[in-house]
Amino acid sequence: MRISVSQAGNSVEVSGFGDPIRFDVTGLDLPPLQDHTFAAWLMLPWAMKTGEAIEIDGPVDPLAIENIRRFSNAWELWEPSKFNPVTVVAASRAEPTTGEDRLTFYSGGLDSTDMLLQLGRQPRPSTALTVHGFDYPSSAGDQFAELRDQVAPFLEALNYRHVTLSISRVAGGRHSYALRLAAAGFLFSGMFSEGILAADANWEQDMALFPWGLNHVTDRYLKGKNFRISTVGDQKTRPMKAKALLQDKMALQAVSFCKRRAIRPKNCGTCSKCVRTKIMFSVFGDIPQIFVDNSFDASLTNSIDIHDRNERVLLIDLYQIARDEGLAVDLHVQRLFERLKGAEATTGRRWDRLKNRLFGPRTAG
């Protein structure tokens, strides 16, 4: 795929693969782009599926070219039937840029809100970037505006200016999550040298969720000579992040994590993500009044799918934290954990029976 980049002030257009993809920046003045590496990251999710080389009609960071190859090779290793290795060919080599400041990715969700709390109030004005086109589709302009209003007091208190980037189209699939962020961050390589984002999981959870779009293996490839993306906060898992938010009223009023797009930036209180967040809050104290439906009973907890990898990891982690900290485990959480362990045991016995039928019982010797 041959890709070209054009710019008119704060609007950038990437052409060559389907309809042109438009980037629009608000909150700062985007300088003339001297590095088109962001376009290579943007195209990589599609190229990994098609196996096409990415040809950028402009300057690209040579270190990023090598890391794109490594990133795609990793996913080919994990799922060779779905993904292909990708090479990038650039018209020229990107010259060193002068970006020195740090860009902070902020979605308004639990992870990024806790990250900003950990970083604390900035000693000098810093930049928080929220992308319109990820959690909020490009058509949801009014809801995205509501999110901006909702998080404004929180960002102001921590001394951040709020920059937003609208992307008209992004690739789907779990392999694309980190790459979308890389495309967004590398667009600002002329102004910033690093973009930081909240880690989705710690190392142990990565192994249970694997392969996931944001993970410690491939996250380390999201860098070039001019710009790099770093994840922070992987020493804390989500229950501990929820605990931190309970101690900050402004963060609670800002946070948005609901799965129901029509409700965002509010939190419905009944989708699986809201329910599991209620469970986390309940272990550490009262459920805050941040849900449209603030009720909490067995019927809600029974909606948790213990066969879903994300739900399983969260439930086990929450149970372990409560046990290790000597907290009273909610009866609903206890029953969910027992169901999970029972399902594990049943699956193990079925697998043993299947192996015996296929290969015969194992014998020592």
Side-chain angles (χ1 to χ4, degrees):
M1 53 181 73
R2 189 170 182 82
I3 304 301
S4 62
V5 176
S6 60
Q7 180 182 7
N10 274 18
S11 294
V12 177
E13 196 167 85
V14 179
S15 305
F17 184 78
D19 294 333
I21 300 175
R22 187 180 174 91
F23 289 65
D24 290 293
V25 177
T26 59
L28 57 74
D29 292 327
L30 194 65
L33 298 181
Q34 304 298 322
D35 184 347
H36 294 178
T37 305
F38 80 98
W41 291 113
L42 177 69
M43 291 296 121
L44 184 54
W46 287 295
M48 285 169 60
K49 288 188 174 182
T50 65
E52 296 178 76
I54 302 173
E55 299 180 41
I56 304 293
D57 189 17
V60 179
D61 188 314
L63 178 57
I65 289 176
E66 177 61 19
N67 281 328
I68 283 173
R69 182 188 63 80
R70 291 169 174 163
F71 189 104
S72 61
N73 278 351
W75 279 88
E76 182 196 28
L77 173 67
W78 299 332
E79 297 184 284
S81 64
K82 296 181 180 179
F83 302 110
N84 302 279
V86 176
T87 58
V88 175
V89 179
S92 60
R93 178 189 294 257
E95 296 297 323
T97 58
T98 58
E100 295 180 356
D101 291 337
R102 185 173 69 180
L103 180 69
T104 303
F105 286 93
Y106 174 63
S107 68
L110 181 66
D111 294 322
S112 62
T113 301
D114 174 74
M115 177 181 68
L116 263 61
L117 285 178
Q118 289 187 68
L119 295 173
R121 178 174 170 81
Q122 299 299 291
R124 59 188 181 88
S126 297
T127 302
L129 174 68
T130 305
V131 182
H132 181 196
F134 292 175
D135 295 330
Y136 293 77
S138 56
S139 59
D142 290 343
Q143 287 175 275
F144 189 76
E146 287 182 43
L147 174 70
R148 290 198 63 177
D149 291 341
Q150 182 170 299
V151 303
F154 180 60
L155 291 177
E156 182 179 358
L158 294 178
N159 203 18
Y160 286 92
R161 66 170 172 175
H162 197 189
V163 173
T164 61
L165 169 63
S166 175
I167 305 180
S168 62
R169 178 164 60 99
V170 295
R174 69 183 188 280
H175 72 297
S176 71
Y177 298 154
L179 302 178
R180 299 177 194 173
L181 292 165
F186 273 76
L187 178 71
F188 299 92
S189 65
M191 304 181 69
F192 303 94
S193 61
E194 180 182 28
I196 62 169
L197 59 90
D200 258 10
N202 63 15
W203 289 77
E204 292 84 356
Q205 291 178 341
D206 263 354
M207 299 182 74
L209 295 169
F210 198 76
W212 187 244
L214 285 165
N215 64 77
H216 288 83
V217 177
T218 51
D219 284 352
R220 72 190 199 275
Y221 296 137
L222 305 176
K223 63 181 180 182
K225 290 184 177 296
N226 288 332
F227 187 84
R228 68 183 181 275
I229 289 180
S230 304
T231 55
V232 299
D234 64 2
Q235 75 281 5
K236 291 176 68 176
T237 57
R238 282 182 180 155
M240 299 307 293
K241 295 174 183 179
K243 180 181 180 181
L245 262 64
L246 284 174
Q247 301 167 16
D248 192 295
K249 291 183 179 179
M250 193 170 288
L252 281 174
Q253 294 306 312
V255 69
S256 174
F257 42 73
C258 188
K259 289 182 71 173
R260 291 181 176 158
R261 291 190 171 188
I263 295 293
R264 295 172 184 166
K266 298 180 178 65
N267 302 301
C268 72
T270 56
C271 72
S272 61
K273 203 166 184 180
C274 283
V275 170
R276 74 189 192 202
T277 308
K278 282 183 176 179
I279 292 174
M280 291 187 284
F281 285 139
S282 71
V283 168
F284 298 110
D286 295 331
I287 297 172
Q289 298 289 323
I290 61 171
F291 299 95
V292 175
D293 182 345
N294 237 70
S295 64
F296 183 61
D297 54 37
S299 64
L300 289 176
T301 57
N302 287 338
S303 68
I304 298 294
D305 182 4
I306 61 173
H307 300 289
D308 180 273
R309 288 189 302 173
N310 288 293
E311 307 293 359
R312 289 158 58 84
V313 166
L314 177 112
L315 178 61
I316 295 171
D317 180 44
L318 182 60
Y319 187 85
Q320 289 176 337
I321 289 172
R323 181 189 63 201
D324 294 346
E325 294 198 358
L327 301 173
V329 180
D330 183 273
L331 179 60
H332 304 314
V333 175
Q334 176 74 39
R335 288 174 176 170
L336 280 171
F337 187 71
E338 290 172 354
R339 281 174 53 203
L340 186 151
K341 292 184 72 172
E344 282 281 328
T346 300
T347 301
R349 288 194 297 269
R350 288 174 177 170
W351 174 237
D352 287 341
R353 288 196 295 269
L354 176 61
K355 286 192 295 184
N356 287 338
R357 285 200 300 269
L358 293 174
F359 309 112
R362 294 185 62 182
T363 58

